[in-house]
Amino acid sequence: MSRNRLVAGNWKMHGSRAANQALLDALLAGIAGTNAVECAVCAPFPYLQQVSERLKGSALAWGAQNVSEHEQGAFTGEVSAAMLREFGCRYVIVGHSERRQLYGESDARVAAKFAAAQRAGLTPILCVGETLEAREAGRTEEVVARQLDAVAIDPKAPAVLAYEPVWAIGTGRNASPEQAQAVHAFLRKKLPGEMRVVYGGSVKAQNAAALFAMPDIDGGLIGGASLLAQDFIGIVKAAAAAAASERVGT
Ligand code: 13P
């Protein structure tokens, strides 16, 4: 696999200046020596300045959790991709299931956000995933295909795809490596280029190695465990070990 692994933290609506500082300090110390893995944290908007200043020149990239589909204008409460880009933002999560479910984001709006992010030079992390009800009805592939097909993917523009089954998010019940691999392989076949496909949903230091050993799982999008430095570092190390064992094996 020539794709660089990515481990990204989604802090969601958590943090404070003091907590962020302690977390970033611990992460920078803990990820030293794991260069084979790209790491990032996606923080709430008010903290992006703090995160960007602390991470300047470091191996830890950063991103936002949402972006407007519009360039500028009368959109109270929204943040544009150009604003994020202006102070060095690299990634932005789009289409997270919490935004789809709690804020009514449609496939079309997610597609517009994806395009706006790329126009500004950001790397969107596009989330797709089925509910438990859809999985139990045997509709997993249909749902993730619909979510992916709504988005125009240019193989030359940087982007990341995240498979996040809704039933695995924040539940402590991760998809098994085999379940995740099956969906990743399905998604990969639909992609026009060499895009990374990462898994999210109750990834912990204890289950990361088995997930990252799968051939189509290129890393993780981490919620709860990204708020605990040692847990996140453990996940990054699992990704580094998977990358190293692959190099030995090939
Ligand atoms: P958890 O890791 O807390 O299950 O959250 C996953 C997620 O939603 C990442 O975007």
Side-chain angles (χ1 to χ4, degrees), residues 1 3-4 114 118 123-127 148 151-162 184 187-188 190-198 216 218:
M1 180 167 74
R3 302 176 298 271
N4 241 3
F114 183 95
Q118 286 193 326
T123 299
I125 302 175
L126 170 67
C127 300
L148 181 58
V151 178
I153 295 187
D154 169 359
K156 293 187 289 298
V160 175
L161 181 60
H184 281 232
L187 291 168
R188 174 144 354 258
K190 296 179 64 61
L191 291 173
E194 270 285 282
M195 203 165 138
R196 285 175 293 186
V197 187
V198 301
D216 288 298
D218 303 330

Side-chain angles (χ1 to χ4, degrees), residues 48-144:
L48 292 179
Q49 176 98 28
Q50 177 193 18
V51 169
S52 76
E53 280 169 12
R54 183 65 187 92
L55 299 184
K56 202 168 279 169
S58 82
L60 188 55
W62 58 274
Q65 300 170 14
N66 186 26
V67 66
S68 172
E69 67 271 39
H70 302 290
E71 307 283 336
Q72 63 174 357
F75 302 105
T76 301
E78 292 291 286
V79 172
S80 75
M83 292 173 188
L84 294 172
R85 188 65 201 149
E86 192 178 10
F87 58 109
C89 182
R90 171 91 173 274
Y91 292 103
V92 63
I93 298 170
V94 298
H96 192 281
S97 66
E98 286 152 17
R99 296 216 57 89
R100 292 178 190 266
Q101 293 195 323
L102 303 174
Y103 301 98
E105 285 191 10
S106 63
D107 290 342
R109 177 160 294 182
V110 171
K113 288 179 178 223
F114 183 95
Q118 286 193 326
R119 273 198 306 278
L122 302 175
T123 299
I125 302 175
L126 170 67
C127 300
V128 299
E130 81 288 1
T131 60
L132 185 59
E133 190 188 9
R135 172 161 285 264
E136 287 176 344
R139 293 178 44 239
T140 297
E141 291 190 351
E142 177 196 321
V143 170
V144 296

Side-chain angles (χ1 to χ4, degrees), residues 27-35 237:
L27 292 182
L28 287 173
I31 64 164
T34 54
N35 306 345
K237 288 192 170 158

Side-chain angles (χ1 to χ4, degrees), residues 10 12 96 98 164 168-171 200-203 221-224:
N10 174 6
K12 307 192 180 181
H96 192 281
E98 286 152 17
E164 297 208 315
I169 295 175
T171 58
S202 298
V203 179
L221 183 56
I222 319 300

